Amino acid sequence: MDIDAIHKALANPMRRQILAWLKEPEVYFAAQQHPLSLGVCAGLIDQQTGLSQSTVSAHLAILLKAGLITNQKVGQWNYFKRNEATIAAFIAQMTL
């Protein structure tokens, strides 16, 4: 676990918001046609943020590098979900 990368990722309010949305995908991404168990399609995250695709891609890349999210590619689509194990380990580390 890279504590510094996690702190950097969490320093941005939009990245924190993406993590919050991914915590409850059934609330924020209910319109997704594929099962939410795969994660949330990057295109829907783009739409939810209202930012450009390239900006959202950069945010997702930072979250991925920090280990806070995982991705799964299905065909041409990328699906993202929270990495609860890393999040829990980070929280535990911060409470020491």
Side-chain angles (χ1 to χ4, degrees), residues 67-82:
L68 294 171
I69 61 173
T70 61
N71 75 316
Q72 178 177 353
K73 190 166 179 80
V74 178
Q76 65 184 14
W77 295 279
N78 281 300
Y79 292 88
F80 296 89
K81 59 182 168 181
R82 287 167 49 113

Side-chain angles (χ1 to χ4, degrees), residues 46 51-59:
D46 293 346
L51 301 172
S52 71
Q53 183 273 328
S54 61
T55 300
V56 175
S57 253
H59 284 311

Side-chain angles (χ1 to χ4, degrees), residues 1-94:
M1 176 171 56
D2 185 344
I3 298 288
D4 291 335
I6 292 173
H7 280 290
K8 178 182 175 183
L10 295 176
N12 182 280
M14 181 51 65
R15 291 192 285 269
R16 291 191 307 269
Q17 185 62 63
I18 292 169
L19 284 172
W21 291 331
L22 292 177
K23 186 173 185 177
E24 299 180 289
E26 64 283 347
V27 173
Y28 297 101
F29 303 104
Q32 179 170 291
Q33 294 183 5
H34 289 90
L36 289 170
S37 61
L38 291 172
V40 175
C41 182
L44 290 178
I45 298 171
D46 293 346
Q47 290 174 10
Q48 185 75 10
T49 66
L51 301 172
S52 71
Q53 183 273 328
S54 61
T55 300
V56 175
S57 253
H59 284 311
L60 292 171
I62 290 168
L63 290 168
L64 272 169
K65 181 180 178 200
L68 294 171
I69 61 173
T70 61
N71 75 316
Q72 178 177 353
K73 190 166 179 80
V74 178
Q76 65 184 14
W77 295 279
N78 281 300
Y79 292 88
F80 296 89
K81 59 182 168 181
R82 287 167 49 113
N83 184 343
E84 296 297 343
T86 298
I87 292 169
F90 174 71
I91 292 169
Q93 177 70 27
M94 294 290 87

